[in-house]
């Protein structure tokens, strides 16, 4: 039998070139971006920032880490996912978990800013179990747009939903996304009417939030067994949280006398009523689903909440049925470690591709005094990317270069014309024309064409001794068919070089 | 006499609204970016990325932290400045110290990429003593451009210098910057000829690198007293490292027979000879100063090195003379802690605004085998920004909105036309026109104009009941002089709305 790897003589391994002592990889749940992936990511960037600016957004930037007391205690059950910096003396810091809390800290520090539409494009950090292929990362990029300031109710909330529509329609997702919508005031009203004790409202809300990845039976079990809720209260909740609709659902709830008597519910009804009216005016209601199962895990929301889902957001298999089948194969493999990638686990979906809501009290937690009400949305770019990448067909150009400067010549006297190629390139750069040439003193023509083709550069400028002597240079459009009249290129005057090139690349 | 702050009765302070228990600030050596600062930073971004793309650059992105073994041991004396993440189980990681080592790690991982011009725009982290006003930060933004691949010598090195010139001329710094240039091969040749023991070459090189902030006497002291160099060797080094020039200095050194006999020196001479030739062809030699005092602290450079300085780069006062005067006032105040900001310390200059060089062996430290030679430059955006901000005169627009949609009306029947304003805004957004309106149900006309003026929005669209009834709306250019014929605005047909607006904003 052939030797197993561990049987190989260690002396043989010593003969291999010295390998570095560390593994060459990025940390778990992180990735590099390059090539076609980066080109697509930049496209997404351009589409979304264009929408943000169209609505008057201005951008800000904050440090990647914040003082440690800041971010904790605002994330509810998710606080355990925060990355800390090592204590190397001085201040204790943590990597930012989202862009919302840093924004609230920023507003509390800048008391002169009472109104702002700000967008922030940056990475955030969560020590969660990764599923890289599904865009579930530990380091991930989010694009946030938030409207801060005291205004007449629900107008900015409606504009955020209009922005969500513009983003996904701009990305070509027409008809392929749903904006799930709910209100903390309505949810809290339901919990109160069902009899959930005040102290249990946030934990029970967190349990409801899992309805997008677990069946009701499992959520009910968590409420009753883990969180100590009376079974009859859980059952009452269960009747409400399965409801979905649009304005019709709102009207149905308004007819429920028990709900209609609850003060939190009354506020929620008034909000949703205004919101649906404004969404009509903005022509932004078509993708909205008023969904009572939407709860959002984070503690800081106070009003409307939303989450955008698409095909692939939900897991293929519920965790409960997977648990049952995992039970059977338990002896084969141990339970997955929390570091392990779950890209191929059918109980993990892509999750929501955008989420947000209203948070009116968060700035006050920093300022201790002044409140600045806020409403906003964060787009999860890694997840959006993973869906678009899978659907992408055509090959992208690798760089944006328009002209490749070449030398043509042969024989032993051929100098390679490096000086002349350099000067031509410098003239093109001076005219803001994107240009490259081969970093070789005596390059072969064939290799120069190969390099230009590899990057999809559309034009070649070809220098030859004879043409140069006449003050001319050849320009050739790449990839023309064999019978095209300009297949062999055209001679142009060197003194009109940049003008002649500009006319062609435009 | 009036009471000093500490004499105030603590009971009175208790009556103030409850302050949060943490300080509201960013961590030391970090900052937020917003408002006019962010607008200027985005301008710098556009200028520099335009240059990078003109030269065929493609962008990549890497995680903010790397596995801990990666970055250490490559930074020489600066390794102590690396930020570590806390050990929370799993892999040990550190925040990236620069973008060069992650690029080398990226190349080692992607063996199919043997040639690339990549740019990378990201923040890096150093636990150094900060001087925020001078742009010396612990978290700072750098723009890196690197050319990787095996090419004929010195062509990419020369293109990097051309890129440096394009960047600073694009930023309007004509005649205000100097590209200090040297070669590790020349520097090592000098050290060898002077008799520096091989093992001391990097530490002695680090000492020479401090010549931009210390007088020669202090550097000599560090060499002899701290690093154990024989005084006569230090003196011999001292005669060389004060030399500066252009091609003339190269010719002068080439005549020095002792230097000309050294193999490292011969390689350095050949490199610099080619480099000066190529710089002429690129028309990129005008701001270059061949400066033998330039050494660069990092260990990984193997060939040409450069550093860009400007007014304010060097400290106003040398550390040595400051030490003497500090001695006198020692009893007044204790020595500054390493966390303390040194913005007002005259012994701290802005430092270099860009730096880089050739590093041919770094990729091999990761791959263990394949070498990919590289040369690159990193621009320190915080420092460039701090200089440009100080010189900036004119006020920038705060956002890019072109149209503010207003309602005009009065009396008790005025509805505020919120629905109509929303619909007009939605039509403008649909046509990719940047537009805003006041989030108020019944806004005063005056407040709507104020909001538009605050952001410098150029056009107002004013809705009135009477005009609406006729299918018209008023458009008004903001800030026209009193006697302008269009001061009062023009009525346009609502059905041509977006066309009429587009004509005016273009």
């Amino acid at each position: 039998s052939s030797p197993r790897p561990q049987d190989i003589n260690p002396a043989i391994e010593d003969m291999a070139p010295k390998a570095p002592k560390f593994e060459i990889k990025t940390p778990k749940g992180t990735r590099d971006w390059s090539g076609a992936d980066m080109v697509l990511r930049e496209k997404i960037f351009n589409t979304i920032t264009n929408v943000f600016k169209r609505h008057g957004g201005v951008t800000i930037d904050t440090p990647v880490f914040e003082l440690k007391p800041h971010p904790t205690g605002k994330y509810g059950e998710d606080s355990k996912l925060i990355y800390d910096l090592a204590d190397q003396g001085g201040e204790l810091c943590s990597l930012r978990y989202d862009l919302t809390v840093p924004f609230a800290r920023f507003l509390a520090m800048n008391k002169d800013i009472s109104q702002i539409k700000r967008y922030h494009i940056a990475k955030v950090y969560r020590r969660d179990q990764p599923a890289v292929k599904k865009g579930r990362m530990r380091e991930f990029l989010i694009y946030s747009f938030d409207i801060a300031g005291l205004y007449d109710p629900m107008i900015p909330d409606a504009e955020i939903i209009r922005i969500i529509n513009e983003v996904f329609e701009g990305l070509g997702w027409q008809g392929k996304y749903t904006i799930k919508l709910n209100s903390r005031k309505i949810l809290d009203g339901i919990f109160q009417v069902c009899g959930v004790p005040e102290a249990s409202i946030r934990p029970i809300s967190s349990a409801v939030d899992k309805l997008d990845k677990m069946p009701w039976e499992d959520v009910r079990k968590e409420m009753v067994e883990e969180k100590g809720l009376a079974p009859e209260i859980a059952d009452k909740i269960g009747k409400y949280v399965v409801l979905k609709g649009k304005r019709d659902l709102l009207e149905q709830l308004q007819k429920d006398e028990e709900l209609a008597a609850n003060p939190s519910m009354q506020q929620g009804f008034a909000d949703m009523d205004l919101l649906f009216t404004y969404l009509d005016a903005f022509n932004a209601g078509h993708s909205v689903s008023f969904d009572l199962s939407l709860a959002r895990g984070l503690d800081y929301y106070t009003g409307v909440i939303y989450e955008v889902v698409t095909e692939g957001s939900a897991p293929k298999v519920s965790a409960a049925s997977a648990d049952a089948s995992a039970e059977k194969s338990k002896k084969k493999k141990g339970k997955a470690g929390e570091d392990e990638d779950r890209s191929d686990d059918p109980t993990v979906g892509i999750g929501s591709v955008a989420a947000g809501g209203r948070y009116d009290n968060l700035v006050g937690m920093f300022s201790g005094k002044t409140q600045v009400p806020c409403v906003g949305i964060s787009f999860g770019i890694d997840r959006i990317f993973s869906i678009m990448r899978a659907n992408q067909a055509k090959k992208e150009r690798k760089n944006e270069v328009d002209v490749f400067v070449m030398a043509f010549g042969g024989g032993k006297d051929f100098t390679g014309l490096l000086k002349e190629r350099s000067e031509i390139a410098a003239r093109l750069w001076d005219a803001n024309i994107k240009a490259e040439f081969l970093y070789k003193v005596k390059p072969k023509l064939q290799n120069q064409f190969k390099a230009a083709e590899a990057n999809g550069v559309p034009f070649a400028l070809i220098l030859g001794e004879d043409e140069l002597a006449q003050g001319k240079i050849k320009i050739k459009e790449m990839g023309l068919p064999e019978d095209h009249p300009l297949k062999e290129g055209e001679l142009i005057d060197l003194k009109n070089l940049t003008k002649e090139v500009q006319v062609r690349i435009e």
Side-chain angles (χ1 to χ4, degrees), chain A residues 13-55:
Chain A
E13 283 195 315
D14 285 353
M15 291 164 63
K18 251 195 192 147
K21 287 195 187 73
F22 41 80
E23 202 184 344
I24 319 173
K25 62 184 274 300
T26 62
K28 278 181 182 144
T30 71
R31 57 163 293 184
D32 293 325
W33 290 86
S34 67
D37 284 3
M38 195 66 188
V39 172
L40 177 58
R41 203 183 93 177
E42 294 265 287
K43 263 195 177 176
I44 297 171
F45 171 89
N46 289 333
T47 302
I48 300 185
T49 51
N50 184 26
V51 174
F52 290 170
K53 287 180 183 175
R54 195 186 296 150
H55 287 266

Side-chain angles (χ1 to χ4, degrees), chain A residues 347-396:
Chain A
T347 70
V348 177
I350 283 171
S352 61
V353 289
R358 175 163 284 284
Y359 49 102
D360 284 347
N361 301 330
L362 193 56
V363 176
M365 288 180 66
F366 287 94
S367 69
K369 194 161 64 171
T370 326
Q371 289 290 11
V372 183
C374 298
V375 62
I377 183 74
S378 291
F379 297 89
I381 299 307
D382 299 73
R383 297 176 182 189
I384 290 172
F385 169 87
S386 75
I387 291 166
M388 292 182 72
R389 187 82 180 94
N391 298 331
Q392 200 181 28
K394 89 171 204 304
K395 218 183 136 188
E396 301 282 348

Side-chain angles (χ1 to χ4, degrees), chain A residues 73-77 184 202-203 206 296-302:
Chain A
K74 288 166 203 73
Y75 296 112
E77 294 180 4
R184 275 281 162 90
R202 285 283 73 80
S206 290
R296 307 276 305 121
L298 302 175
D299 282 359
Y300 51 62
Y301 292 115
T302 55

Side-chain angles (χ1 to χ4, degrees), chain A residues 164-423:
Chain A
I164 296 171
N165 279 303
E166 286 186 28
V167 162
F168 287 106
E169 280 161 26
L171 294 173
W173 290 33
Q174 284 82 351
K176 292 184 184 159
Y177 65 97
T178 302
I179 305 172
K180 290 202 224 171
L181 180 72
N182 199 1
S183 158
R184 275 281 162 90
K185 292 177 188 168
I186 286 183
L187 212 49
D188 289 359
I190 289 174
F191 294 144
Q192 286 165 2
V193 166
C194 294
V196 177
E198 203 59 36
S200 300
I201 283 188
R202 285 283 73 80
I204 292 304
S205 186
S206 290
V208 167
D209 194 51
K210 293 171 188 161
L211 277 171
D212 57 348
K213 37 184 186 280
M214 290 184 183
W216 166 250
E217 297 70 44
D218 293 4
V219 170
R220 184 183 182 282
K221 205 170 153 190
E222 178 176 328
M223 288 179 174
V224 174
E225 292 178 17
E226 286 177 39
K227 295 181 172 164
L229 195 68
E232 62 278 11
I233 298 180
D235 292 334
K236 205 167 171 189
I237 292 171
K239 269 187 253 168
Y240 287 113
V241 294
V242 293
L243 302 176
K244 287 185 188 33
K246 295 204 177 222
R247 196 160 205 153
D248 58 317
L249 174 57
L250 180 64
E251 286 157 7
Q252 179 189 334
L253 295 174
Q254 283 170 320
K255 285 177 203 148
D256 182 325
E257 283 178 23
E258 204 180 0
L259 294 181
N262 176 279
S264 174
M265 208 68 191
Q266 287 161 0
Q267 283 181 38
F269 285 162
D271 282 356
M272 293 302 275
D273 211 38
L274 272 179
L275 184 62
F276 279 118
T277 302
Y278 296 156
L279 288 180
D280 284 344
F282 282 149
N283 187 23
H286 48 285
S287 327
V288 165
S289 166
F290 180 22
D291 184 332
L292 294 186
S293 75
L294 177 69
R296 307 276 305 121
L298 302 175
D299 282 359
Y300 51 62
Y301 292 115
T302 55
V304 67
I305 47 180
Y306 19 72
E307 206 167 274
V308 184
V309 294
T310 184
E311 204 190 333
S313 285
K316 282 189 189 145
V317 178
S318 87
S321 58
D323 271 1
S325 66
E327 204 67 31
K328 289 176 204 157
S329 61
K330 218 170 191 176
K331 274 171 196 165
K332 275 191 195 160
K333 77 185 181 178
K335 194 160 185 184
E338 64 172 24
D339 262 9
E340 214 166 284
D341 190 281
R342 295 176 66 193
S343 293
D344 300 322
D345 180 343
T347 70
V348 177
I350 283 171
S352 61
V353 289
R358 175 163 284 284
Y359 49 102
D360 284 347
N361 301 330
L362 193 56
V363 176
M365 288 180 66
F366 287 94
S367 69
K369 194 161 64 171
T370 326
Q371 289 290 11
V372 183
C374 298
V375 62
I377 183 74
S378 291
F379 297 89
I381 299 307
D382 299 73
R383 297 176 182 189
I384 290 172
F385 169 87
S386 75
I387 291 166
M388 292 182 72
R389 187 82 180 94
N391 298 331
Q392 200 181 28
K394 89 171 204 304
K395 218 183 136 188
E396 301 282 348
R397 269 176 70 179
K398 280 195 200 146
N399 65 25
E400 299 184 8
V401 166
D402 287 316
V403 183
F404 205 98
V405 184
M406 307 182 182
F408 168 72
K412 65 175 169 44
D413 295 335
F414 178 54
T415 63
L417 298 171
L418 176 57
K419 178 166 170 286
E420 290 77 5
R421 283 183 285 144
S422 302
E423 285 166 353

Side-chain angles (χ1 to χ4, degrees), chain A residues 29-30 62-64 75 81 83 95-102 120-127 137-144 378-380 382:
Chain A
T30 71
T62 66
V64 79
Y75 296 112
L81 303 179
Y83 275 97
L95 297 186
R96 62 183 161 215
Y97 176 92
D98 62 16
L99 301 179
T100 312
V101 172
H120 190 179
I121 291 172
K123 289 182 181 170
V124 299
Y125 300 87
R126 300 186 189 176
R127 297 183 66 255
M137 310 293 292
R138 289 179 160 186
E139 172 184 67
F140 58 99
L141 183 61
I142 58 177
Y143 287 19
S144 288
S378 291
F379 297 89
D382 299 73

Side-chain angles (χ1 to χ4, degrees), chain A residues 361-499:
Chain A
N361 301 330
L362 193 56
V363 176
M365 288 180 66
F366 287 94
S367 69
K369 194 161 64 171
T370 326
Q371 289 290 11
V372 183
C374 298
V375 62
I377 183 74
S378 291
F379 297 89
I381 299 307
D382 299 73
R383 297 176 182 189
I384 290 172
F385 169 87
S386 75
I387 291 166
M388 292 182 72
R389 187 82 180 94
N391 298 331
Q392 200 181 28
K394 89 171 204 304
K395 218 183 136 188
E396 301 282 348
R397 269 176 70 179
K398 280 195 200 146
N399 65 25
E400 299 184 8
V401 166
D402 287 316
V403 183
F404 205 98
V405 184
M406 307 182 182
F408 168 72
K412 65 175 169 44
D413 295 335
F414 178 54
T415 63
L417 298 171
L418 176 57
K419 178 166 170 286
E420 290 77 5
R421 283 183 285 144
S422 302
E423 285 166 353
I424 296 285
R427 280 179 65 188
L428 296 171
W429 295 330
D430 281 339
N432 198 16
I433 295 167
K434 301 183 187 86
E436 280 189 306
F437 62 95
L438 212 62
Y439 294 147
K440 207 160 168 56
V441 174
K442 292 188 192 180
K444 288 186 183 147
L445 190 62
Q446 197 190 356
N447 291 341
Q448 298 175 84
F449 271 111
K450 258 191 208 161
E453 278 159 11
N455 285 331
V457 179
F459 288 95
L461 270 173
I462 307 166
L463 283 157
E465 301 273 8
D466 297 346
E467 292 82 357
L468 266 178
Q470 302 161 36
K472 302 223 179 249
I473 186 168
K474 189 186 273 183
I475 186 163
K476 184 171 165 355
E477 187 168 350
M478 304 280 288
L480 290 179
E482 281 304 326
D483 57 351
H484 194 284
L486 297 179
K487 177 73 187 169
E488 291 308 309
E490 297 166 88
L491 280 178
I492 56 176
D493 278 341
L494 264 172
K495 61 177 191 295
N496 301 331
L497 175 70
T498 57
K499 208 186 287 177

